Amino acid sequence: MKLITHNMLTSNIIKGVTKGFPLKIVAPTDKVQIVEVDFNPEFTSRMMHKLDYDALYTAAETLGHSEGLPKEVVPDFETNEEFLKKVHHVLMQIEVQEGELVCPETGRAFPIHNGIPNMLLKEDEV
Amino acid sequence: MNTLGQLEFPTPDFSHLIRADFDVIYEPAEDTFLLLDALESERQGLKKVSPLICLEVGSGSGVVSSFLATLLPHTCALFTTDINPVASSKTAATGNQNKVILNAVVGDLVYPFFHRLKENIDILIFNPPYVVTPPEEVGSNSIEASWAGGDNGRVVMDRLFPLVNDMLSDEGVFYLVVIKENNPEEIQTMMKSQGFDMQTLLTRRSGPELLSVLKFARSSDKL
């Protein structure tokens, strides 16, 4: 699971949950990998408008990979390639292979296995 | 497609999938290839609107999203869902095999992404379980989930239709595979009342099935 995916997942599907974002990532350090993905500044710049940057920063920090990433979005983010490269790194190059995504409201844990989060609920949770 | 009816873009490689995989996930078949043909025919139009976020519901083997990724390289974030955990795993593997990034999730329809991707999906794709079956065959999360559509084959896709208007961006489009028994005219009426025009992109007979790829886009007077 890349952080771009984490940034788009919520547990609002759970009955009664209104604040199901961001999900807390729990992952052992050895189950977090860095992979190389081609940097595309235009894509990263466009995605910036869709991201919850705080959630991205917190997720990267939780995984111990936030170094160099500014806590706040820089004013010229659309064209600042140095900044976009750092965003690209945390957004696309960090992968969680095993772990859990935890609902901030209920504590319900969704497993991540083989890099894939399982967001299915049981019948009584919907 | 060229004049020989061949895809200009190669069919995604799914040689990494073995016979035993297709006991559990849907093996690409005529409906899959029809959808690939339809997407290829849409390529120029799609490039023009510069899609950023794409979601495939029921990704199965991952062949369709992998193909979409090769049609629109680098411009799109592709997310996929499948109710079958094995399918989501194979989707990710097919992405890797074809050197494209598919962000696969195990989940029901669009729900894991609903609140964050609302109004932001530029391309929504669903090759649903469209086969007419007894109602009790619906609701598995293994191979039956890839075909069992209950009454008129519509039980699963009918759950997605009411969400399309919320999910799609202004310029967003929704591609759906159906068979004649799913009553496309009725789907057209339902979607029209939500502000969407329907186009039938391709139709093809495969054995007893008359397959169509439908495209839904916002009516211009509703924008």
Side-chain angles (χ1 to χ4, degrees), chain A residues 21-94:
Chain A
F21 180 84
L23 298 165
K24 181 166 197 291
I25 308 179
V26 178
T29 335
D30 63 329
K31 296 299 182 189
V32 179
Q33 289 169 5
I34 304 295
V35 298
E36 216 182 288
V37 174
D38 287 345
F39 171 55
N40 184 317
E42 197 202 319
F43 170 76
T44 312
S45 175
R46 291 182 75 202
M47 277 308 298
M48 277 296 299
H49 294 274
K50 310 294 179 185
L51 296 176
D52 183 307
Y53 188 82
D54 284 342
L56 181 67
Y57 183 86
T58 305
E61 191 180 47
T62 303
L63 296 176
H65 287 283
S66 63
E67 64 186 48
L69 185 71
K71 233 181 173 161
E72 309 274 323
V73 181
V74 305
D76 62 337
F77 72 88
E78 275 177 331
T79 48
N80 186 328
E81 262 205 29
E82 205 188 297
F83 173 75
L84 290 177
K85 267 208 186 101
K86 292 174 184 166
V87 172
H88 165 78
H89 175 70
V90 301
L91 195 65
M92 304 300 290
Q93 301 200 144
I94 304 175

Side-chain angles (χ1 to χ4, degrees), chain B:
Chain B
M1 240 193 297
N2 63 21
T3 51
L4 293 175
Q6 293 162 338
L7 288 174
E8 304 275 17
F9 286 78
T11 307
D13 178 9
F14 55 98
S15 60
H16 56 292
L17 299 176
I18 61 175
R19 188 102 310 274
D21 289 329
F22 301 128
D23 289 336
V24 186
I25 68 167
Y26 190 72
E27 183 173 7
E30 283 311 310
D31 54 325
T32 319
F33 301 124
L34 188 69
L35 182 51
L36 298 190
D37 287 346
L39 289 174
E40 190 180 60
S41 74
E42 288 279 288
R43 180 172 169 257
Q44 291 309 328
L46 289 174
K47 276 175 67 177
K48 269 205 201 103
V49 295
S50 248
L52 180 65
I53 293 177
C54 306
L55 176 64
E56 183 183 7
V57 171
S59 58
S61 61
V63 157
V64 171
S65 281
S66 295
F67 188 70
L68 186 66
T70 56
L71 286 183
L72 306 168
H74 310 305
T75 69
C76 239
L78 291 118
F79 299 97
T80 70
T81 65
D82 204 294
I83 204 161
N84 178 342
V86 178
S88 288
S89 176
K90 298 303 175 183
T91 293
T94 300
N96 289 337
Q97 182 81 352
N98 291 278
K99 304 204 186 337
V100 296
I101 295 172
L102 300 183
N103 298 297
V105 157
V106 181
D108 179 27
L109 299 180
V110 299
Y111 289 109
F113 292 114
F114 184 78
H115 292 82
R116 285 284 291 134
L117 291 187
K118 218 161 34 164
E119 292 163 31
N120 277 296
I121 297 181
D122 300 311
I123 304 175
L124 179 66
I125 302 178
F126 193 18
N127 182 0
Y130 53 64
V131 178
V132 178
T133 67
E136 53 274 12
E137 283 189 27
V138 182
S140 112
N141 64 344
S142 188
I143 186 79
E144 304 79 18
S146 66
W147 70 66
D151 277 347
N152 300 320
R154 284 267 300 273
V155 169
V156 180
M157 63 179 99
D158 275 2
R159 293 178 59 228
L160 183 65
F161 297 150
L163 305 173
V164 173
N165 185 33
D166 283 334
M167 297 307 297
L168 291 187
S169 57
D170 281 346
E171 303 280 339
V173 290
F174 170 41
Y175 297 98
L176 177 74
V177 178
V178 295
I179 52 173
K180 183 155 173 279
E181 286 80 355
N182 303 144
N183 202 337
E185 297 76 24
E186 190 179 77
I187 301 173
Q188 181 172 26
T189 308
M190 281 170 65
M191 292 302 291
K192 182 71 186 168
S193 72
Q194 290 201 54
F196 286 88
D197 289 334
M198 181 179 100
Q199 243 184 288
T200 303
L201 293 181
L202 283 179
T203 297
R204 190 175 294 162
R205 179 160 287 286
S206 169
E209 292 180 344
L210 185 63
L211 294 157
S212 292
V213 178
L214 308 178
K215 174 185 178 182
F216 298 91
R218 294 191 193 275
S219 313
S220 45
D221 55 319
K222 287 287 201 286
L223 277 174

